[in-house]
Amino acid sequence: MSDLDLVLLGTVVPYLAVAVTFSVTTAMRHNDPANRLWAGGLIAAAGAALASLITNDTVLSFETDTAGAACGVVAIGLVWSGLRCFRGAVALPVAPLVVAVGVVLLRGGLEAVGSPILPDGYLAAAGFAVAGVLELRRSSMRMNVNVTLLQVVLGLFAGAVVVNVLLGRVYRGSDHLPAVFLLVTMLVLLQLLVAMRAEREGAWWSEDHGTGRVFGVHSRGQFVEAAADRLGRIQLRGGHAGLVLAEITDLVELNEAFGRRGGDLALATVADTLRRHVPAWSVLGYLGVGRFAVLAPAETPERTAEIAAAVERAVYTRSNEALGEQDVPVPVLFGTSDTFTTAPDLDALLAEAGYVPRT
């Protein structure tokens, strides 16, 4: 075994162990078809890498090369399937499996008849990479930066496979190169896919990212604790409270159209407007997924509606004034509730205002 083989064996095998473990546990934690397909793609890429690490001068060299190529087809094919599933189309995960079986049968048949030319199985993987690029161009997120990078990486993979095949006609390069390049491609693809999902679903707006520091408002846990305490104090002195729920209705669409910049700008705009226009003694928090809540004392049943109307006018005015500069609209839907008509319980007030927990 050469020095290159030893280096690859010492670096790739530990990576494969971690990658496969991570993929399996991630797929089990998240009941999401696209995520499971992408995790399966990484496992298939691991199979291709393992096949390339088998010593080339064994009697199984042809079989391992063919198996590695088939794994490469499945790896990129499952990425393509996950992209289809991600945009709501039929995933078709069977397609890459059928193509991989076709690669094995074709190479095996040509080898059996003694053909001097054997097709490179990675060409089929390059075909799925091109299909993935076309799939991303059909997505509503096609203008997103991460989607653009995904197309570039898939295109580079397809181009590298074609170049490797053409060079292989005149020069026998490293047998490890296709599988190692496949692993690197899958690693970059998975990072970009995670970023793309986060930007579409607003996953970066979590309590772990310092909601108070970013928005100047409480995180969900802090809001629940502070609002429950404030509600109890108001109730003890015989007063009433109102709750205003403000939800950015098109946060997913903003993320798809503008990426993280759109989500950041919309959420920051609403948070800043709420801080400026709700009473100073209010409790203000971010509940996640584009929803803010305000708990404020209410002297009359109309007081909560007045607060909501004032914030709505301010958001509308601010959004229109800045629209020419930021080009990001901020549609907000408001809901209200108060202890005049609802039980003095935070969960009851949130439910009455229209809050539905989301996971």
Side-chain angles (χ1 to χ4, degrees):
M1 185 175 287
S2 66
D3 292 340
L4 176 61
D5 292 338
L6 290 175
V7 170
L8 289 171
L9 187 66
T11 56
V12 173
V13 170
Y15 166 76
L16 296 182
V18 174
V20 172
T21 303
F22 172 78
S23 300
V24 172
T25 55
T26 300
M28 292 175 64
R29 284 198 309 270
H30 301 284
N31 186 22
D32 182 89
N35 185 76
R36 293 188 175 187
L37 288 168
W38 294 330
L42 182 56
I43 294 175
L50 287 174
S52 75
L53 289 174
I54 297 178
T55 306
N56 294 325
D57 57 3
T58 66
V59 295
L60 297 177
S61 60
F62 171 77
E63 288 78 2
T64 55
D65 286 346
T66 303
C71 287
V73 173
V74 173
I76 303 299
L78 289 181
V79 170
W80 165 77
S81 299
L83 290 172
R84 286 181 56 85
C85 183
F86 190 68
R87 73 174 185 86
V90 179
L92 302 178
V94 177
L97 299 177
V98 172
V99 174
V101 171
V103 168
V104 172
L105 294 178
L106 177 62
R107 285 174 58 88
L110 293 176
E111 172 74 7
V113 299
S115 173
I117 300 177
L118 296 176
D120 191 306
Y122 278 92
L123 283 174
F128 277 116
V130 173
V133 171
L134 298 177
E135 199 66 43
L136 287 167
R137 293 184 64 85
R138 298 173 60 188
S139 170
S140 59
M141 293 182 68
R142 55 186 172 274
M143 300 302 293
N144 184 271
V145 174
N146 286 307
V147 173
T148 301
L149 292 175
L150 274 168
Q151 296 179 60
V152 171
V153 172
L154 287 170
L156 287 175
F157 174 80
V161 169
V162 173
V163 170
N164 186 66
V165 171
L166 294 177
L167 291 179
R169 298 180 182 275
V170 295
Y171 170 72
R172 178 66 175 176
S174 171
D175 293 320
H176 301 295
L177 184 60
V180 171
F181 191 74
L182 174 65
L183 270 180
V184 173
T185 300
M186 285 298 300
L187 182 62
V188 175
L189 284 177
L190 288 175
Q191 293 292 330
L192 291 173
L193 289 168
V194 168
M196 179 181 69
R197 178 183 294 282
E199 293 203 345
R200 191 184 78 164
E201 300 181 359
W204 62 90
W205 300 118
S206 65
E207 295 179 13
D208 297 334
H209 284 72
T211 305
R213 176 175 54 80
V214 175
F215 296 129
V217 301
H218 290 309
S219 67
R220 185 183 184 283
Q222 293 169 338
F223 172 78
V224 169
E225 183 177 348
D229 178 74
R230 182 69 56 85
L231 190 59
R233 291 173 181 270
I234 293 174
Q235 187 180 9
L236 281 175
R237 66 171 186 260
H240 287 276
L243 186 137
V244 177
L245 184 68
E247 177 178 2
I248 301 175
T249 56
D250 294 337
L251 183 61
V252 171
E253 288 75 9
L254 288 173
N255 292 332
E256 289 180 347
F258 301 99
R260 179 166 181 167
R261 169 181 167 270
D264 283 5
L265 191 55
L267 287 165
T269 297
V270 175
D272 184 64
T273 305
L274 286 169
R275 289 199 311 269
R276 292 170 180 265
H277 291 86
V278 300
W281 50 87
S282 303
V283 180
L284 175 59
Y286 178 63
L287 305 180
V289 201
R291 294 177 294 182
F292 294 86
V294 180
L295 181 76
E299 300 81 10
T300 64
E302 294 78 19
R303 178 55 179 160
T304 307
E306 292 172 358
I307 296 174
V311 174
E312 184 175 12
R313 285 194 300 270
V315 170
Y316 179 78
T317 301
R318 181 171 180 176
S319 180
N320 283 340
E321 288 177 350
L323 187 58
E325 301 175 3
Q326 64 188 26
D327 200 26
V328 178
V330 186
V332 183
L333 179 66
F334 291 87
T336 61
S337 61
D338 57 63
T339 56
F340 290 98
T341 57
T342 306
D345 176 78
L346 183 59
D347 290 336
L349 288 171
L350 286 169
E352 181 66 21
Y355 176 74
V356 178
R358 299 174 187 172
T359 56

